[in-house]
Amino acid sequence: MKFVLLVHSTPQPWGHPTGDFVAEHQALPAEQRRRMETDFEALLTEMQERGEFVTAEALGDPASSRLFRWADGEPIATDGPYAETKEQFAGYFLIDVADRERAEELGRRFAGPGETIELRPLMWPGGEEQNVG
């Protein structure tokens, strides 16, 4: 089953890994931050060894985005960001796991101070819409 772990965050300045740029993470003791980084690297290794990690990308600053909308019968371009909110979409991890339970476990393990992790199934992981209820 394929899922996307969407990372929502508010790094200031915009940067990656996002935890390095959010106040909640920066406020943690240095030893705890190092332990969290080590744990996350171990998680990524575990996912790769299990064949669960498909791909991941960090996204650039939302202020550098360009929006395209349909207006007056044609597409028009405007500057971003799209969402008028503090928290922005910062990146994603595409995973392929045995079941939703494992996907939710990974979502919990990805969550960190100052960030929100959204778990969303792919619409057609194998040609059929996935039951998410």
Side-chain angles (χ1 to χ4, degrees), residues 83-99:
E84 296 297 326
T85 179
K86 286 184 176 183
E87 197 169 73
Q88 296 288 335
F89 181 40
Y92 69 91
F93 289 79
L94 178 60
I95 60 174
D96 190 355
V97 295
D99 53 34

Side-chain angles (χ1 to χ4, degrees), residues 70-84:
W70 193 258
D72 298 322
E74 63 183 80
I76 60 167
T78 58
D79 291 336
Y82 175 74
E84 296 297 326

Side-chain angles (χ1 to χ4, degrees), residues 33-132:
R33 290 194 313 268
R34 280 191 294 276
R35 187 174 57 254
M36 290 173 68
E37 183 178 325
T38 299
D39 291 348
F40 187 71
E41 291 300 323
L43 176 59
L44 291 179
T45 298
E46 172 189 327
M47 291 170 61
Q48 289 169 338
E49 289 172 351
R50 292 176 63 150
E52 296 173 326
F53 178 88
V54 177
T55 191
E57 290 292 336
L59 298 178
D61 189 333
S64 66
S65 65
R66 199 82 166 124
L67 305 175
F68 297 90
R69 292 189 173 109
W70 193 258
D72 298 322
E74 63 183 80
I76 60 167
T78 58
D79 291 336
Y82 175 74
E84 296 297 326
T85 179
K86 286 184 176 183
E87 197 169 73
Q88 296 288 335
F89 181 40
Y92 69 91
F93 289 79
L94 178 60
I95 60 174
D96 190 355
V97 295
D99 53 34
R100 185 173 185 92
E101 182 178 10
R102 174 64 175 162
E104 290 184 6
E105 174 191 342
L106 293 174
R108 283 189 297 278
R109 292 174 69 186
F110 267 69
E115 298 177 323
T116 299
I117 302 299
E118 177 183 349
L119 175 66
R120 190 180 301 182
L122 295 191
M123 186 71 160
W124 296 287
E128 301 287 327
E129 183 173 350
Q130 196 169 323
N131 180 1
V132 297

Side-chain angles (χ1 to χ4, degrees), residues 12-34:
Q12 293 298 318
W14 192 267
H16 292 278
T18 53
D20 290 351
F21 300 92
V22 294
E24 296 88 342
H25 185 83
Q26 293 169 341
L28 298 173
E31 180 55 38
Q32 185 177 358
R33 290 194 313 268
R34 280 191 294 276

